[in-house]
Amino acid sequence: MNKKEYESIPASAFEFVPMEGRMHDKKLESKPIGYFRDAFNRFCRNKSSVVAAFIIMILFLYAILVPFVAENKYTLALTDPDYTYFSKLPPKSSALAWMGVDGTRVEPSVNETNYNKYNAFYTETGYNPVVEQIGEPRVDPIQQAAYDKEVEKLQEQVDTAPNAALKKQRQKKLDKKLATSVPRQFTLKLDPYYLMGDTNGMLYIDLTFAEYKKVQNWQNDTGLQVIYPAVSQKLEDASIWYELDESGNPLKDENGNIVNIYQSAGKVEAQDSYTGTATATTPFVGTATVAGYASDVTVDVLYDAQGYVLNATVNVSGETADAAAQYAAPEFAKKLIGQRAPFVRKQEGAKNGVDVVSGATVTGDAIIAALNEATASGVQSNLKVDMTFDAKGVVTACTVTAVGDVNDQAAAYLSDEFAASLIGRRAPFGVSTEANPSVDAVAGATVTAQSLAAAMNKATPVYTSTRIQADDGSLRYHKVGGTETSTNYRVRICLYNYFQYKYGFEAEFLFGTNTKGQDIFTRLASGARFSFILAIGVSSINMLIGAIYGAIQGYYGGVVDLVLDRISDVLNNVPFMVVTTLFQLHLAKHVGPVVALIFAFVLTGWIGMAARVRMQFYRFKGQEYILAARTLGASDFRLMFKHIFPNSLGTIITGSVLVIPGMIFSESSMTYLGIVNLESSTMTSVGTMLANGKDQLQYNPYIILFPALFVSMLMISFNLFGNGLRDAFNPSLRGAE
Amino acid sequence: MLKYVIKRVLLLIMVFMIIVTMCFTLIKLLPSKPADQFGKDMELILRRRELLGYEKPLLEQYMIFLRKTLFGGDWGVGEMKYMGREVTQIFLEKMPASIAVNLYTMILAVPLGLLLGIYAALKKNKWQDHLISTAVILFVSVPSYVYAFLVQYFLCFKWGWFNIQVMAGTNFFSWQMFTSMMPAIISLGFGTVAGLTRYVRAELTEVLTSDFLLLARTKGLSRAQTTVRHALRNAMVPVFPMILGEFIGILGGSMIIEGIFGIPGVGGLYVECIQTTPPDYNFFMLLTVFYTLIGLVSGIVVDLSYSFIDPRIRMGSKK
């Protein structure tokens, strides 16, 4: 082709490029992967981090859901004084019993006294606290040696006795020694749920009449016995209900059964000779002589069928101890008139303090106690209650009638229902005397509304015992105490069943209970909640402050950077402990310890974040796209937060997760040391739980185990999770721990 | 270099003075226990307080504090704890125990951490490495007091190898004292060993994959020679300052471990003086200053030590 041809090409020589089948930018067949999606994919490939994330999720759910799922009457009764009875119970779960979470504990050395108590507890309640006896009982060799030596010495004395009389005396001494034995030691696998800590399962508690009644109704409904018979001796230890022998072991009868010392409810022994119903006006024929035990004071009492003393005289036979002398006065005898004496049947083998109506002993104490039980006087109610009752004082028939104007208070009692409700109950009514005319007479006398209520409160329902086979209604289940206006009933309860009565479920704690009796499972959840709230709350505040601060520092640089850097430098170098302490001292009074702690965390916590963001800003602010944006007139704010900031988002997120374990550690340390005290009935922290449990490490390590396990798992998981996040957001850092 | 050091020291003093002033003001704003509640010690407390200018205005008190306390060394007497005894004296009595325990820990933990780290790096991505790395992440994460409980429960209670508490006395470098401190040393050691292992492993793997090591190998050096002479020395550059920093940090003691094992140390003293109401401000002030100083000094020593260990690193030069 020559030049000419170029210059004049006809239009027809041209043709349009065929548009069909031309290369165009094709639409992408796969979706573009976003920054976060990409990071997420990478994160998912890191198995340990995914597992860690799941663990965190589980722990989080545990913290959040427990209040809705696992709260019950027990955990909600936050300031219940009864909590201490249920302290130090090991973890127990009927579902996990095969794993050994059966709430038992191996006690390496149990002395014989306690061993006997456990066995007696089993006999009485049917709950066996001894799961297993490990090995044979042991005898302390030192004690055994001392015992042998003493026996040997006594034997020698017998052998060397100069005359027969002395020999006999010494032989007696030796026999007595031989009858005792060296206490043994046992290794037992125990179930502390039956024993309930240090109480050995039984406890004296005071109930109001309404509560007393409620417990009894509950017993009748469920067939579980809470209240066990009162014992006749003044024993602090409620778990002893049996006679003791010389060496402190339970006395056995010829059949090998334990001899009980249950107190008899029978006020009167007259039932033996008395038959048929009687009214109070029928005097009891026959006089019982009451011989004083040890005090040499004898009291001759004349009383009626209900056991009310009609006349009493006090005689002194022999030497009177000083303590007994006060009862020898005629005034004392006069005081007894009109009272019903809570005399107790004498028991075989009973040694002291047991009162018997006829031909037996009354102690001064028992009479005083009887005086205390005297019925109060009240306002005249003009109600008349006629009753018939049997020899034991149980009402068999009853009518209530009005004898004049009845006041509002008393009117409530003027009904057949009330009369019927008295039937079957034992009424310890007082009798009217000349000295005290307003006291209620049993029959044919007026009863005041007040005294009737008091009488009702005192009326003992005929008790149906489910456990005590021998009980035919003759055992006594309470001791009345308190004042005239508020009577309380001291009863001996089995704590295991009392727990069921009170909280509606059988005692079983998955994580056990701590020294205060709080359920560790729910308590730990509350501590966990606090840890999470603190971790998430503080790290987001830190993120916010750190991001803004770091952005300003990094973006402006120069003098601004220098000044801001100095400020963060100063804050960074104040020891964290000191910051926390000062905040607690200054702020805790005004805003509470929690807010003060959060302030302390925030004060220094954002510095790391600011440093990270600052570094990112230094990296990106010189790049071309920033220059381009600036040339187009973007404001500083826009440049900072629209263009640079998103680039450092990955670093920020990673950073704020990676500081969480450290924060949880600091929080638990501060609360552990007691520098920060967050303990209240509704709130706790893991550190406080650890601190409270540390004294129990040797014997009840589970108290510490669960909080420690929780905090360890949380920190491991957060570390793994954070590392995974960092690798996901910034793959180039992978492997550099 | 010298200029940089001077600059750093001056900065340190500035930061230190600001922190001390802040803490001083904040502490002085809190109410002290009235002197007339001290009973027979009233005279003494009153006299000492007068000497330190308690009744004077805050600014004047601050001047007295600077002159007499910070530079004069008179930190007052114990008011709530260690009644009437010199604060500095008690503090110095408590120091050796803290130092001893932590020194023993470092002496045992540092070589162990180094060895494990080196081993893991050499066996990178083999099962030994995975085992050590897994153990490390566990041990780094679990708080030291959890180890303390484990050690106390198993070694002291269950198996009865050690006493529960550190024995009394001040003979800190005797064998008996060492064995009685063993539970505390072990508890403290776990974290230190794990942290060091992780750090050494990371540094060493990085160096081991670098080009100059390949060069050394191609020149004919054995694997052992390259590792010991070239890789290790380079890897130690960041590791050594870290160890140095920890050595300074041991002065401060560790509050929780000291509490658990009954070590009469500085950390325990801090907790003790905080827990009275009101806290013993004299002890509090001294310990605040002490901890601040430790933090600052260890920071500066770590920074400066880089250039001593590796002359190629020039401090203060503009990047």
Side-chain angles (χ1 to χ4, degrees):
Chain A
M1 263 195 259
N2 56 39
K3 198 182 174 190
K4 238 190 176 120
E5 285 171 325
Y6 281 118
E7 282 168 348
S8 55
I9 303 169
S12 60
F14 291 93
E15 60 174 311
F16 286 109
V17 177
M19 293 304 283
E20 249 97 317
R22 262 211 75 187
M23 285 280 288
H24 270 297
D25 283 350
K26 273 188 190 157
K27 206 178 175 195
L28 289 170
E29 276 168 7
S30 59
K31 271 189 187 166
I33 297 177
Y35 180 59
F36 284 100
R37 181 78 212 173
D38 194 28
F40 181 71
N41 285 346
R42 258 185 308 235
F43 180 80
C44 286
R45 253 172 273 142
N46 192 343
K47 284 193 201 75
S48 63
S49 302
V50 175
V51 171
F54 269 106
I55 294 176
I56 293 172
M57 192 59 84
I58 291 167
L59 293 177
F60 187 70
L61 287 179
Y62 162 69
I64 299 296
L65 291 182
V66 157
F68 302 106
V69 179
E71 293 285 12
N72 53 40
K73 255 175 125 179
Y74 184 74
T75 54
L76 289 176
L78 293 164
T79 47
D80 197 327
D82 288 352
Y83 263 21
T84 43
Y85 304 140
F86 312 115
S87 65
K88 296 186 235 165
L89 293 175
K92 180 179 185 179
S93 163
S94 40
L96 296 176
W98 54 273
M99 276 172 67
V101 192
D102 55 358
T104 57
R105 168 162 53 212
V106 174
E107 204 69 53
S109 62
V110 176
N111 62 30
E112 189 143 11
T113 316
N114 278 336
Y115 178 73
N116 289 328
K117 277 182 197 168
Y118 301 157
N119 282 334
F121 181 77
Y122 180 36
T123 315
E124 193 176 30
T125 62
Y127 295 123
N128 192 356
V130 180
V131 180
E132 195 188 337
Q133 183 170 334
I134 298 162
E136 289 299 305
R138 304 174 302 275
V139 172
D140 185 5
I142 300 168
Q143 282 185 6
Q144 180 69 55
Y147 179 81
D148 290 344
K149 203 173 166 189
E150 198 163 337
V151 169
E152 204 175 295
K153 205 174 110 195
L154 288 169
Q155 184 67 52
E156 199 186 307
Q157 280 176 356
V158 171
D159 294 342
T160 57
N163 57 48
L166 206 59
K167 186 167 185 162
K168 203 175 166 188
Q169 197 185 344
R170 286 182 181 175
Q171 183 66 44
K172 220 172 169 181
K173 215 170 158 189
L174 176 65
D175 289 345
K176 204 173 164 188
K177 183 75 197 173
L178 284 171
T180 64
S181 59
V182 182
R184 294 174 296 170
Q185 294 275 317
F186 298 83
T187 301
L188 301 176
K189 193 177 183 188
L190 295 176
D191 192 335
Y193 279 81
Y194 293 141
L195 297 175
M196 291 296 176
D198 311 324
T199 59
N200 287 325
M202 287 291 188
L203 193 76
Y204 284 117
I205 57 166
D206 292 330
L207 298 176
T208 63
F209 181 72
E211 281 169 347
Y212 188 36
K213 195 78 195 98
K214 223 170 119 194
V215 176
Q216 287 175 22
N217 289 337
W218 187 84
Q219 286 188 151
N220 293 338
D221 291 345
T222 58
L224 294 166
Q225 186 155 353
V226 176
I227 299 169
Y228 281 84
V231 295
S232 56
Q233 287 177 24
K234 271 201 168 173
L235 293 171
E236 287 298 310
D237 189 346
S239 59
I240 296 178
W241 55 275
Y242 44 82
E243 199 66 37
L244 296 172
D245 68 8
E246 298 276 337
S247 45
N249 293 328
L251 199 69
K252 303 265 175 80
D253 62 12
E254 58 273 16
N255 300 326
N257 293 325
I258 301 170
V259 178
N260 72 46
I261 46 168
Y262 291 148
Q263 203 169 12
S264 169
K267 320 270 183 195
V268 194
E269 253 227 332
Q271 54 178 313
D272 296 339
S273 57
Y274 187 85
T275 47
T277 45
T279 50
T281 44
T282 318
F284 184 72
V285 263
T287 315
T289 316
V290 182
Y293 168 75
S295 62
D296 285 332
V297 175
T298 48
V299 186
D300 289 318
V301 182
L302 174 74
Y303 53 89
D304 65 13
Q306 279 69 48
Y308 293 114
V309 177
L310 299 173
N311 197 8
T313 47
V314 184
N315 311 310
V316 181
S317 59
E319 277 178 86
T320 306
D322 286 349
Q326 55 169 309
Y327 301 114
E331 288 77 31
F332 175 69
K334 211 180 252 174
K335 261 203 237 170
L336 291 179
I337 294 170
Q339 302 298 336
R340 178 188 269 172
F343 302 129
V344 175
R345 189 161 44 97
K346 186 177 171 68
Q347 284 167 0
E348 289 300 316
K351 253 185 343 204
N352 54 4
V354 180
D355 326 325
V356 167
V357 172
S358 120
T361 50
V362 174
T363 61
D365 280 348
I367 293 171
I368 296 296
L371 292 178
N372 288 340
E373 263 192 78
T375 323
S377 60
V379 189
Q380 206 75 20
S381 68
N382 293 339
L383 278 180
K384 187 171 157 236
V385 183
D386 290 306
M387 295 181 194
T388 321
F389 40 87
D390 62 17
K392 281 200 256 168
V394 177
V395 178
T396 53
C398 178
T399 51
V400 183
T401 46
V403 289
D405 290 335
V406 176
N407 61 27
D408 290 348
Q409 209 183 357
Y413 298 106
L414 189 61
S415 68
D416 289 342
E417 285 83 39
F418 172 65
S421 73
L422 291 178
I423 292 169
R425 305 193 356 179
R426 184 179 280 139
F429 300 128
V431 74
S432 67
T433 57
E434 271 178 54
N436 197 357
S438 60
V439 175
D440 337 325
V442 173
T446 46
V447 179
T448 62
Q450 223 176 353
S451 68
L452 199 57
M456 278 172 63
N457 286 346
K458 276 199 184 179
T460 328
V462 172
Y463 201 95
T464 45
S465 175
T466 52
R467 275 295 310 168
I468 308 300
Q469 305 290 323
D471 187 18
D472 54 354
S474 65
L475 292 184
R476 195 182 166 91
Y477 283 82
H478 65 266
K479 283 173 182 168
V480 180
T483 58
E484 287 290 353
T485 46
S486 68
T487 322
N488 62 39
Y489 289 76
R490 170 150 291 210
V491 291
R492 199 163 68 93
I493 55 160
C494 167
L495 272 169
Y496 187 73
N497 284 341
Y498 181 67
F499 184 95
Q500 288 188 56
Y501 155 72
K502 194 154 181 192
Y503 303 111
F505 64 102
E506 223 169 316
E508 185 179 295
F509 298 104
L510 184 59
F511 285 1
T513 57
N514 64 13
T515 45
K516 286 180 191 151
Q518 294 153 331
D519 174 27
I520 295 179
F521 187 73
T522 45
R523 204 71 185 151
L524 182 59
S526 129
R529 214 150 47 232
F530 177 68
S531 287
F532 275 114
I533 290 171
L534 191 81
I536 294 166
V538 171
S539 83
S540 30
I541 299 174
N542 281 347
M543 197 163 94
L544 197 73
I545 300 176
I548 295 171
Y549 196 92
I552 294 170
Q553 242 187 324
Y555 184 79
Y556 291 107
V559 183
V560 177
D561 186 19
L562 201 73
V563 172
L564 292 184
D565 208 28
R566 278 312 101 207
I567 295 174
S568 63
D569 202 20
V570 167
L571 286 177
N572 200 22
N573 276 303
V574 188
F576 179 65
M577 251 151 15
V578 175
V579 175
T580 322
T581 315
L582 283 173
F583 268 90
Q584 288 299 320
L585 292 174
H586 275 283
L587 274 181
K589 294 196 286 289
H590 307 294
V591 295
V594 177
V595 181
L597 183 64
I598 289 175
F599 267 117
F601 270 116
V602 168
L603 184 75
T604 55
W606 55 268
I607 293 168
M609 182 57 69
R612 269 174 227 272
V613 175
R614 172 176 173 265
M615 225 174 75
Q616 292 290 318
F617 266 72
Y618 265 112
R619 226 172 94 191
F620 291 110
K621 74 172 180 187
Q623 299 213 344
E624 284 80 4
Y625 73 93
I626 301 295
L627 190 66
R630 196 197 297 277
T631 325
L632 289 170
S635 68
D636 280 353
F637 186 82
R638 194 179 164 82
L639 280 175
M640 274 156 79
F641 292 101
K642 184 89 184 164
H643 294 285
I644 306 179
F645 192 72
N647 283 309
S648 49
L649 214 54
T651 326
I652 288 170
I653 292 172
T654 315
S656 44
V657 171
L658 276 173
V659 294
I660 287 178
M663 218 138 63
I664 293 170
F665 175 70
S666 305
E667 176 258 319
S668 59
S669 305
M670 290 301 144
T671 46
Y672 177 88
L673 291 169
I675 293 176
V676 182
N677 186 14
L678 304 169
E679 183 80 354
S680 73
S681 58
T682 51
M683 196 177 159
T684 188
S685 71
V686 181
T688 318
M689 292 186 76
L690 289 168
N692 289 343
K694 70 176 178 223
D695 300 332
Q696 295 294 323
L697 185 62
Q698 187 164 9
Y699 299 109
N700 300 303
Y702 64 88
I703 296 179
I704 271 193
L705 173 70
F706 292 103
L709 204 63
F710 171 80
V711 90
S712 307
M713 269 169 70
L714 198 63
M715 285 182 65
I716 292 171
S717 306
F718 264 117
N719 268 333
L720 284 173
F721 180 67
N723 286 349
L725 268 188
R726 186 197 51 204
D727 293 349
F729 276 118
N730 198 346
S732 63
L733 282 176
R734 199 190 183 94
E737 305 274 341
Chain B
M1 182 69 203
L2 187 69
K3 206 172 140 194
Y4 177 72
V5 174
I6 291 168
K7 191 182 145 201
R8 281 300 300 265
V9 170
L10 284 178
L11 266 179
L12 181 145
I13 292 168
M14 189 191 91
V15 171
F16 176 71
M17 285 316 293
I18 292 173
I19 293 174
V20 167
T21 310
M22 253 166 30
C23 291
F24 175 82
T25 320
L26 285 173
I27 290 172
K28 285 293 162 190
L29 288 179
L30 292 164
S32 297
K33 190 174 174 184
D36 51 9
Q37 286 180 20
F38 281 99
K40 63 179 172 54
D41 297 304
M42 196 175 101
E43 284 284 302
L44 175 74
I45 300 291
L46 271 177
R47 245 203 11 249
R48 293 305 292 250
R49 283 186 177 181
E50 201 190 318
L51 269 174
L52 293 175
Y54 268 49
E55 308 301 324
K56 302 208 168 79
L58 196 59
L59 204 62
E60 212 168 318
Q61 258 188 70
Y62 180 61
M63 287 304 155
I64 295 172
F65 170 75
L66 286 186
R67 199 176 62 240
K68 278 200 175 157
T69 308
L70 204 55
F71 300 115
D74 176 15
W75 291 85
V77 290
E79 294 185 358
M80 306 301 296
K81 280 269 169 190
Y82 305 101
M83 175 63 74
R85 295 191 51 195
E86 288 289 330
V87 166
T88 33
Q89 192 193 340
I90 299 285
F91 173 71
L92 290 176
E93 275 172 21
K94 297 268 179 188
M95 272 295 259
S98 281
I99 293 178
V101 173
N102 285 282
L103 199 63
Y104 285 136
T105 309
M106 296 302 286
I107 288 171
L108 293 180
V110 166
L112 198 62
L114 287 177
L115 283 178
L116 281 176
I118 293 166
Y119 186 72
L122 292 177
K123 298 278 179 188
K124 189 171 192 272
N125 289 338
K126 294 206 178 94
W127 66 268
Q128 294 97 328
D129 176 40
H130 292 307
L131 184 76
I132 292 175
S133 300
T134 315
V136 158
I137 194 99
L138 286 183
F139 286 122
V140 158
S141 308
V142 175
S144 61
Y145 50 78
V146 174
Y147 300 127
F149 292 137
L150 285 175
V151 165
Q152 200 173 35
Y153 183 68
F154 284 107
L155 301 191
C156 303
F157 294 137
K158 263 266 159 91
W159 302 329
W161 292 358
F162 303 109
N163 288 337
I164 300 151
Q165 301 272 297
V166 170
M167 62 181 238
T170 50
N171 192 8
F172 291 109
F173 297 96
S174 68
W175 178 249
Q176 280 100 336
M177 190 55 109
F178 176 69
T179 48
S180 80
M181 279 176 173
M182 222 34 214
I185 293 169
I186 294 170
S187 317
L188 282 170
F190 275 118
T192 318
V193 170
L196 201 59
T197 304
R198 182 161 81 166
Y199 203 53
V200 170
R201 181 190 168 276
E203 290 299 329
L204 195 56
T205 26
E206 207 186 315
V207 178
L208 279 174
T209 50
S210 56
D211 294 338
F212 72 88
L213 249 107
L214 193 65
L215 179 69
R217 290 280 281 153
T218 46
K219 265 165 60 182
L221 268 72
S222 71
R223 201 175 142 77
Q225 280 173 318
T226 49
T227 311
V228 175
R229 289 199 198 150
H230 296 276
L232 211 52
R233 289 176 72 166
N234 274 296
M236 279 306 121
V237 173
V239 173
F240 188 75
M242 178 191 159
I243 298 172
L244 202 66
E246 293 220 18
F247 261 101
I248 298 173
I250 65 178
L251 292 171
S254 46
M255 299 183 180
I256 295 185
I257 304 287
E258 285 185 5
I260 290 175
F261 293 106
I263 299 164
V266 179
L269 183 65
Y270 183 82
V271 178
E272 257 181 275
C273 78
I274 286 301
Q275 275 167 348
T276 56
T277 36
D280 195 318
Y281 296 118
N282 291 345
F283 278 113
F284 184 43
M285 195 68 226
L286 173 64
L287 289 169
T288 301
V289 169
F290 174 66
Y291 282 125
T292 310
L293 207 58
I294 284 183
L296 287 168
V297 169
S298 75
I300 197 172
V301 168
V302 168
D303 278 1
L304 294 179
S305 66
Y306 274 104
S307 58
F308 285 109
I309 297 159
D310 188 354
R312 288 173 302 177
I313 299 173
R314 292 182 56 79
M315 282 291 157
S317 60
K318 294 270 183 298
K319 272 176 214 163

